[in-house]
């Protein structure tokens, strides 16, 4: 989603708290706010003025799904539970007053506020939660818990979903837009390899490394097939055993760890 230049400035004013209905945020609090969205900034010497920093981050994320996350996080009711002056309802009213000119509006959806376009369709996007090593550990822990409880099919499904989520996150972060997922893990992996420059070059890589990288291709293909045959998303075509589930989970951990490390390396 894309905001106009006028609304970028107004949103920055809302986030910094330099408007009428929003709590004031210090420079450190602004850094924390945008890091929750996916930035990787530090507060320290040479930090720009608050409004200039906020505007720059909004412009960086403009025309991506992170703008949706920024706006929805700004009016998260949980941020106002201990706020003595401002209310969430006032914040929503303020933001709606200007984003309507770009064709969007915040509405109450359950306990939270969600962004819709003016035709009433929810603006879709991935979770605000940052996908990092801690997120992976949490998901692998859930897979192992399912194995311990005898839910081998569920563990396989969860491991495949983890691989899918990490790949989608990498692609969307690099391309800056939501992608259409056709449900084929191999297609996602092809895009990820292209973005992370994971092509196998015999002229620069030793044979042993090439063998391991080729093994990742096999993991993706095998995980896709195993989840289709054994996962709880489909009719179980054979009697899944514990060691099948552990193989899927441990292979997924190896795969996604390598992909995130490769993404960090490419950024550096």
């Amino acid at each position: 989603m894309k905001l106009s230049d006028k609304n970028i400035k107004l949103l920055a004013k809302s986030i910094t708290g330099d408007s009428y209905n929003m709590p004031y945020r210090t420079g450190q609090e602004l850094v924390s706010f945008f890091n929750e969205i996916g930035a990787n900034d530090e507060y320290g010497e040479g930090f720009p003025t608050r409004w200039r920093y906020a505007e720059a981050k909004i412009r960086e994320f403009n025309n991506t799904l992170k703008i949706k996350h920024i706006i929805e996080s700004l009016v998260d009711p949980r941020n106002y539970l201990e706020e003595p002056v401002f209310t969430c309802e006032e914040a929503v009213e303020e933001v709606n007053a200007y984003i309507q000119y770009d064709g969007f509006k915040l509405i109450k959806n359950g306990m939270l506020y969600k962004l819709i376009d003016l035709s009433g369709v929810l603006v879709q996007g991935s979770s605000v939660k940052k996908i990092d090593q801690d997120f992976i550990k949490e998901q692998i822990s859930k897979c192992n818990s399912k194995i311990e409880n005898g839910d081998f099919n569920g563990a396989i499904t969860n491991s495949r979903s983890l691989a899918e989520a990490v790949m989608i996150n990498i692609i969307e972060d690099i391309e800056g837009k939501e992608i259409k997922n056709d449900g084929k893990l191999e297609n996602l992996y092809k895009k990820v390899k292209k973005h992370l420059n994971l092509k196998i070059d015999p002229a620069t890589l030793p044979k042993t490394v090439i063998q391991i990288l080729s093994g990742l291709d096999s993991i993706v293909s095998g995980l896709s097939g195993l989840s289709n045959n054994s996962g709880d998303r489909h009719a179980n075509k054979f009697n899944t055993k514990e060691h099948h589930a552990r193989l899927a989970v441990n292979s997924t951990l190896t795969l996604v760890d390598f992909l995130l490390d490769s993404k960090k390396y490419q950024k550096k």
Side-chain angles (χ1 to χ4, degrees):
M1 75 174 275
K2 186 174 183 179
L3 294 180
S4 62
D5 188 70
K6 178 79 171 177
N7 280 345
I8 288 175
K9 294 178 180 178
L10 290 171
L11 180 59
K13 194 173 181 181
S14 295
I15 294 172
T16 58
D18 293 330
S19 60
Y20 294 109
N21 299 315
M22 299 285 185
Y24 180 90
R25 284 185 172 86
T26 64
Q28 180 66 67
E29 289 170 336
L30 288 172
V31 169
S32 296
F33 176 85
F34 284 106
N35 282 351
E36 284 294 318
I37 305 301
N40 187 28
D41 297 333
E42 294 182 2
Y43 181 78
E45 186 177 352
F47 189 78
T49 56
R50 293 163 48 259
W51 67 266
R52 193 181 298 276
Y53 170 75
E55 272 195 30
K57 299 311 294 184
I58 296 169
R59 293 185 191 282
E60 176 184 336
F61 294 137
N62 198 24
N63 204 25
T64 76
L65 284 170
K66 285 188 171 68
I67 290 295
K68 159 192 162 66
H69 301 328
I70 288 172
I71 294 174
E72 291 179 350
S73 295
L74 180 61
V75 297
D76 189 321
R78 291 167 291 190
N79 295 333
Y80 297 83
L81 292 177
E82 298 180 1
E83 173 56 53
V85 178
F86 305 100
T87 68
C88 182
E89 291 72 22
E90 290 173 332
V92 170
E93 183 178 355
E94 174 178 309
V95 175
N96 275 339
Y98 54 81
I99 64 172
Q100 63 178 321
Y101 292 100
D102 284 336
F104 301 100
K105 181 181 179 181
L106 286 160
I107 63 166
K108 193 74 174 287
N109 187 296
M111 300 292 289
L112 304 175
Y113 285 91
K114 296 295 182 181
L115 204 64
I116 64 170
D117 62 30
L118 291 186
S119 67
V121 177
L122 278 171
V123 178
Q124 298 296 328
S126 54
S127 171
V128 175
K129 188 168 184 177
K130 196 175 177 181
I131 292 186
D132 54 16
Q133 299 295 343
D134 289 336
F135 173 80
I136 289 175
K137 289 178 182 178
E138 178 184 340
Q139 300 308 310
I140 291 295
S141 177
K142 290 179 180 179
C143 289
N144 287 328
S145 293
K146 287 197 171 187
I147 292 175
E148 295 302 324
N149 292 323
D151 185 6
F152 306 142
N153 298 331
I156 291 173
T157 295
N158 280 25
S159 61
R160 184 239 167 83
S161 296
L162 171 60
E164 195 170 68
V166 170
M167 291 182 194
I168 289 174
N169 178 264
I170 290 173
I171 296 168
E172 290 185 346
D173 187 45
I174 292 174
E175 294 185 358
K177 62 182 181 181
E178 185 179 18
I179 65 168
K180 291 183 178 180
N181 179 20
D182 61 5
K184 294 181 179 179
L185 200 61
E186 293 95 331
N187 290 344
L188 288 175
Y189 188 53
K190 286 179 182 178
K191 286 187 177 181
V192 168
K193 287 200 296 183
K194 181 179 179 181
H195 284 309
L196 298 184
N197 193 29
L198 295 179
K199 65 180 180 179
I200 295 177
D201 185 1
T204 59
L205 293 173
K207 183 178 179 180
T208 49
V209 174
I210 292 175
Q211 288 175 323
I212 295 174
L213 288 175
S214 298
L216 294 180
D217 290 358
S218 297
I219 287 177
V220 172
S221 179
L223 183 60
S224 176
L226 186 60
S227 62
N228 288 336
N229 290 324
S230 304
D232 57 8
R233 299 185 304 175
H234 305 279
N236 194 359
K237 295 184 179 180
F238 70 95
N239 186 18
T240 309
K241 299 292 193 298
E242 179 178 347
H243 57 278
H244 299 144
R246 291 200 184 278
L247 177 64
V249 172
N250 292 333
S251 297
T252 300
L253 176 58
T254 298
L255 172 68
V256 297
D257 262 346
F258 176 76
L259 292 181
L260 283 188
D261 286 343
S262 296
K263 179 184 175 185
K264 290 179 182 177
Y265 176 79
Q266 289 296 334
K267 281 191 172 183
K268 288 180 182 179

